[in-house]
Amino acid sequence: MGRRNWLFCLTDVGAKQAGILRSLVVTCQLHDIDPYTYFVDVLQRVGQHLASRVAELTPRLWKQHFADNPLRSDLYKAATV
């Protein structure tokens, strides 16, 4: 995504959300984190994670705390069997 694709966000809110998502993907790439693995882990973890420790779910701190043993999707488990 990039340049001309941003023209099709339709609303300011959509453009803001697309920017946030792209920012997370690029931050993952800068820290040598696979964005797919990061998002699968964080989306499973966010419901049970303490709100006071939400900063641990940012890519930089996630790599320190959870990257060695990320939560995997059921699809990953089925593919490795």
Side-chain angles (χ1 to χ4, degrees), residues 14-45:
K16 182 177 179 181
Q17 297 301 321
I20 291 169
L21 184 61
R22 184 67 183 146
S23 176
L24 284 170
V25 169
V26 170
T27 304
C28 286
Q29 292 171 343
L30 289 173
H31 290 288
D32 295 322
I33 299 169
D34 174 40
Y36 180 80
T37 302
Y38 169 76
F39 284 119
V40 167
D41 180 81
V42 168
L43 289 173
Q44 291 183 67
R45 199 177 295 276

